[in-house]
């Protein structure tokens, strides 16, 4: 009887597996086309423009640039500060990920939104807020006479402020769905709490931790606004140097070489990540996240919660409070009222219109990022995928590691002729923002998708379910929570994206980060106050949007 069943089911299983493999390869078409047209082509165009003179490639320029001692110093500082920032962020944020995943306490949804808000602020605003804390005349200078500006510690702390949410939401998203009974079973068998966590929970979290570390490293490796403001003339990253060579020195060939160096370094990191992390992924037992969170028990857990709240208050809330205070200044709401007036200078419209523009662009960018990212994550689910699919897993992260200045210039150079003449189209801004959002969607969904037991998909395929039905009835109920988290991340990064948007946003339709940068670049207290007011509005808009997302994500009546 069992033999007959095996003989009948085996061909069906093979057919279902073949259909699933073909369907996943088919899902790759749209993401591959999207990245080829809107990422690879513009970046190649701008690099070619820098290294070609009269149609002749000047490849010798690469060696000339790399031979310069100041360039090597920039490369070294870029690398080690990114590693230090990543390690410090993981050290500080992993306890927060545990607290948000396992503890249930009053105000948790609001606090989760507060934690995410710093990530969506333009890096220029982050640098300015920290300058108000640690610079000349800042809070530390006034209280204790301590200044940290133009030091590497100011840069590292600002990077932790900016990336804290990446670890909390990426790692915490999976941690909340891990079945705590697996660790409890290890405890019952005699393992200590630390050993049970190290041997049971940590291996299950490894893919999410690696994904979060990768994103933090890429963001700090390409850091621009924070280093530009807090580093002064002493410290410079590759991104800062590319900007300087492009906009100040007007040496496009040097900028192109530095772009290639940055691209090669990021590609190497992604290759190592793809090779190591896949070997550590395994099927996990996932449960409803709402059932794993509970009130803290015992003095140790309450102390951990208090410590995390203290870190959030000092490291995240305090800079935001300084931002709000500066937006009010001595004139109350005068800076806010000034936003409704046209000045005929940096703006063709009242600066307040940037709010509506940013929301419209962010919604469109989120829709694009979720569709492209979900298709890519589904296609990458199989662990036995071919080299092309595994390579695309790494390539999806490249927009986070390639200079946004290069991408923005590339859009202007490459997308200005039929059939891709988009320079005057509004869709160019959401496309640029979606390039940054897609990696977050993929990295948030992929660990959960790969944690789904593949036998469930195989069983559905054997019973005749189409690949779409398998996704709808097997994968989607398990990953709906991760999909909402991914959408929230995409929306947040779209609101705060600046590097590429500043080149493609039209003067009569500025986004909030572009408007803030323009105001900060103009002298005068009124312009600075308006920049702080717009930054505060951006912070509040993101906080409201994220609170709404948290209510949807934790709706107990849903199927999460």
């Amino acid at each position: 009887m069992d033999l007959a069943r095996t003989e009948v089911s085996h061909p069906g299983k093979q057919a279902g597996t073949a259909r699933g493999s073909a369907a996943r390869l088919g899902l790759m078409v749209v993401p591959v086309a999207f990245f080829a047209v809107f990422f690879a082509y513009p970046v190649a165009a701008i690099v070619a423009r820098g290294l070609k003179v009269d149609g002749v490639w000047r490849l010798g320029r690469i060696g000339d640039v790399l031979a310069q001692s100041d360039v090597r110093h920039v490369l070294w500082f870029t690398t080690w500060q990114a590693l230090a920032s990543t390690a410090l962020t993981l050290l500080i944020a992993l306890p927060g990920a545990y607290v948000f995943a396992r503890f249930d306490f009053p105000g948790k949804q609001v606090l989760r939104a507060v934690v995410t808000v710093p990530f969506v602020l333009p890096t220029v605003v982050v640098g300015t807020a920290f300058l108000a804390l640690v610079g000349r005349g800042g809070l530390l200078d006034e209280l204790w006479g301590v200044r940290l500006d133009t030091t590497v510690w100011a840069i590292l702390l600002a990077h932790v402020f900016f990336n804290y949410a990446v670890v909390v939401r990426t790692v915490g998203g999976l941690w909340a769905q891990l079945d705590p009974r697996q660790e409890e079973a290890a405890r019952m068998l005699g393992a200590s709490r630390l050993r049970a966590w190290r041997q049971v929970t940590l291996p299950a979290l490894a893919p999410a931790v690696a994904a979060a570390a990768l994103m933090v490293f890429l963001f700090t490796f390409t850091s621009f606004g924070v280093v530009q403001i807090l580093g002064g003339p002493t410290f410079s990253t590759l991104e800062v140097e590319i900007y300087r060579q492009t906009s100040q020195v007007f040496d496009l060939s040097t900028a192109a070489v530095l772009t290639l160096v940055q691209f090669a370094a990021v590609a190497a990191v992604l290759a190592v990540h793809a090779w190591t992390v896949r070997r550590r992924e395994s099927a996990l037992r996932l449960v409803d996240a709402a059932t794993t969170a509970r009130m803290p028990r015992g003095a140790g857990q309450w102390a951990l919660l208090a410590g995390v709240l203290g870190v959030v208050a000092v490291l995240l809330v305090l800079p935001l409070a300084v931002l709000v205070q500066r937006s009010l200044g001595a004139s109350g709401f005068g800076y806010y009222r000034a936003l409704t007036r046209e000045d005929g200078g940096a703006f063709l419209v009242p600066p307040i219109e940037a709010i509506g523009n940013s929301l419209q662009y962010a919604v469109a960018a989120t829709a694009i990022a979720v569709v492209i990212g979900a298709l890519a994550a589904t296609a990458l689910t199989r662990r036995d995928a071919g080299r092309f699919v595994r390579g695309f897993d790494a390539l999806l992260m490249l927009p986070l590691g390639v200079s946004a200045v290069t991408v923005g210039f590339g859009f202007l150079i490459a997308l200005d002729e039929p059939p891709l003449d988009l320079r005057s189209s509004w869709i160019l801004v959401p496309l640029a923002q979606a390039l940054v959002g897609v990696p977050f969607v993929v990295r948030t969904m992929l660990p959960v998708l790969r944690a789904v037991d593949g036998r469930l998909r195989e069983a559905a395929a054997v019973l005749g379910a189409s690949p779409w039905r398998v996704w709808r009835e097997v994968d989607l109920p398990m990953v709906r929570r991760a999909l909402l988290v991914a959408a929230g991340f995409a929306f947040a990064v779209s609101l705060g994206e600046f590097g590429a948007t500043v080149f493609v946003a039209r003067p009569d339709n500025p986004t909030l980060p572009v408007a803030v940068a323009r105001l900060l670049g103009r002298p005068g207290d009124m312009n600075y106050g308006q920049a702080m007011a717009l930054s505060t509005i951006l912070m509040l808009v993101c906080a409201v949007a994220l609170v709404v997302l948290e209510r949807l994500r934790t709706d107990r009546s849903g199927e999460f």
Side-chain angles (χ1 to χ4, degrees), residues 83-96:
L83 291 171
S85 297
T86 302
L88 189 61
T89 302
L90 289 175
L91 179 66
I92 295 177
L94 281 177

Side-chain angles (χ1 to χ4, degrees), residues 411-497:
F411 267 47
L412 295 180
I413 292 175
L415 304 180
D416 63 343
E417 296 179 356
L420 290 175
D421 188 2
L422 301 177
R423 288 211 304 183
S424 60
S425 174
W426 68 273
I427 195 63
L428 204 58
V429 174
L431 287 173
Q433 295 174 343
L435 281 173
V436 183
V438 168
F440 283 94
V441 175
V442 174
R443 295 265 71 87
T444 303
M445 293 185 61
L446 195 55
V448 179
L449 275 171
R450 284 180 171 166
V452 177
D453 193 340
R455 291 173 295 182
L456 298 175
R457 301 189 186 99
E458 293 174 359
V462 169
L463 294 174
S466 64
W468 163 245
R469 188 175 180 183
V470 172
W471 158 258
R472 188 178 71 246
E473 297 187 7
V474 177
D475 292 84
L476 185 58
M478 300 294 292
V479 303
R480 184 179 283 115
R481 179 178 182 271
L483 184 62
L484 285 176
V485 173
F489 256 135
F491 183 80
V493 298
S494 298
L495 279 177
E497 205 287 322

Side-chain angles (χ1 to χ4, degrees), residues 24 27-28 30-31 35 366-381 396 437-443 445-446 449 468 471 475-476 479 482-483 486-487:
R24 284 185 173 86
L27 292 174
M28 296 290 296
V30 175
F35 274 84
T366 300
I368 297 171
V370 167
V371 171
I372 300 297
L375 290 174
T378 304
L380 294 169
T381 301
L396 287 170
V438 168
F440 283 94
V441 175
V442 174
R443 295 265 71 87
M445 293 185 61
L446 195 55
L449 275 171
W468 163 245
W471 158 258
D475 292 84
L476 185 58
V479 303
L483 184 62

Side-chain angles (χ1 to χ4, degrees), residues 212-434:
L214 175 66
M215 287 188 284
V216 173
F217 179 84
L218 291 180
F219 273 114
T220 53
F221 189 83
T222 59
S223 182
F224 172 64
V226 168
V227 179
Q228 180 82 349
I229 292 176
L230 297 177
T234 306
F235 303 108
S236 179
T237 58
L238 279 172
E239 187 81 2
V240 173
E241 191 64 21
I242 291 172
Y243 175 79
R244 190 179 74 87
Q245 294 292 335
T246 303
S247 62
Q248 299 178 7
V249 184
F250 305 109
D251 188 350
L252 196 57
S253 65
T254 299
V257 171
L258 295 178
T259 297
L260 290 176
V261 171
Q262 184 169 304
F263 184 89
V266 171
V269 172
L270 294 176
V272 173
H273 170 81
W275 181 68
T276 57
V277 172
R278 285 184 67 256
R279 303 165 71 100
R280 305 177 67 179
E281 292 174 338
S282 59
L284 310 176
R285 182 182 299 172
L286 302 182
V287 297
D288 184 350
T291 65
T292 63
R294 54 177 174 74
M295 291 292 292
R297 300 173 184 174
Q301 292 188 356
W302 281 107
L304 176 61
L305 175 60
V308 169
L309 294 178
V311 169
V312 170
V314 174
L315 187 62
L316 305 184
V317 176
L318 186 58
L320 299 179
V322 172
L323 187 66
V324 175
Q325 184 272 330
R326 291 205 169 193
S327 73
L328 296 173
S331 59
F333 290 94
Y335 295 142
Y336 291 89
R337 289 191 293 268
L339 296 175
T340 62
R341 299 192 296 265
E342 297 185 32
D343 62 0
F347 300 96
L348 301 179
V349 295
I352 198 70
E353 292 191 12
I355 300 174
N357 297 335
S358 286
L359 291 176
Q360 293 175 19
Y361 289 142
V363 169
T366 300
I368 297 171
V370 167
V371 171
I372 300 297
L375 290 174
T378 304
L380 294 169
T381 301
R382 291 184 61 86
R383 298 182 185 88
D384 57 348
R387 292 183 178 179
F388 173 75
V389 176
R390 294 198 300 268
F392 189 66
D393 184 8
L395 291 176
L396 287 170
M397 299 298 293
L398 285 179
L400 300 182
V402 173
S403 168
V405 175
T406 300
V407 174
F409 271 133
F411 267 47
L412 295 180
I413 292 175
L415 304 180
D416 63 343
E417 296 179 356
L420 290 175
D421 188 2
L422 301 177
R423 288 211 304 183
S424 60
S425 174
W426 68 273
I427 195 63
L428 204 58
V429 174
L431 287 173
Q433 295 174 343

Side-chain angles (χ1 to χ4, degrees), residues 42-239:
V43 171
I46 191 67
V47 171
R49 180 70 64 92
L51 295 180
K52 262 188 175 182
V53 177
D54 298 328
V56 179
W57 287 94
R58 298 177 57 197
L59 299 181
R61 181 62 177 159
I62 298 177
D64 295 339
V65 172
L66 295 180
Q68 301 175 14
S69 59
D70 55 342
V71 171
R72 292 198 300 270
H73 175 75
V74 168
L75 181 58
W76 165 246
F77 174 75
T78 301
T79 303
W80 87 258
Q81 67 82 25
L83 291 171
S85 297
T86 302
L88 189 61
T89 302
L90 289 175
L91 179 66
I92 295 177
L94 281 177
Y98 174 79
V99 165
F100 281 103
R102 295 302 197 200
F103 291 170
D104 190 12
F105 51 90
K108 178 179 177 179
Q109 295 178 14
V110 175
L111 189 62
R112 193 191 299 269
V114 171
V115 165
T116 308
V117 167
F119 181 73
V120 304
L121 293 177
T123 55
V124 175
V125 177
V126 173
T128 304
F130 266 81
L131 194 63
L133 287 176
V134 302
R136 181 186 299 274
L139 184 62
L140 293 182
D141 192 15
E142 292 178 354
L143 294 179
W144 299 293
V146 176
R147 289 180 53 192
L148 298 177
D149 57 323
T150 67
T151 69
V152 72
W153 280 109
I155 295 173
L156 297 181
L157 291 176
H159 283 162
V160 175
F161 169 87
F162 189 75
N163 293 292
Y164 187 90
V166 175
V167 178
V168 168
R169 298 187 74 96
T170 303
V171 179
L174 180 59
W175 208 335
Q177 291 184 278
L178 293 182
D179 191 344
R181 291 174 295 183
Q182 298 178 78
E183 188 172 324
E184 292 170 1
R187 295 286 310 281
M188 293 181 64
L189 293 174
S192 65
R193 184 182 299 275
L194 177 60
R195 184 179 179 184
W197 180 84
R198 189 178 70 251
Q199 295 186 353
V200 177
T201 303
L202 183 59
L205 289 175
V209 173
L214 175 66
M215 287 188 284
V216 173
F217 179 84
L218 291 180
F219 273 114
T220 53
F221 189 83
T222 59
S223 182
F224 172 64
V226 168
V227 179
Q228 180 82 349
I229 292 176
L230 297 177
T234 306
F235 303 108
S236 179
T237 58
L238 279 172
E239 187 81 2

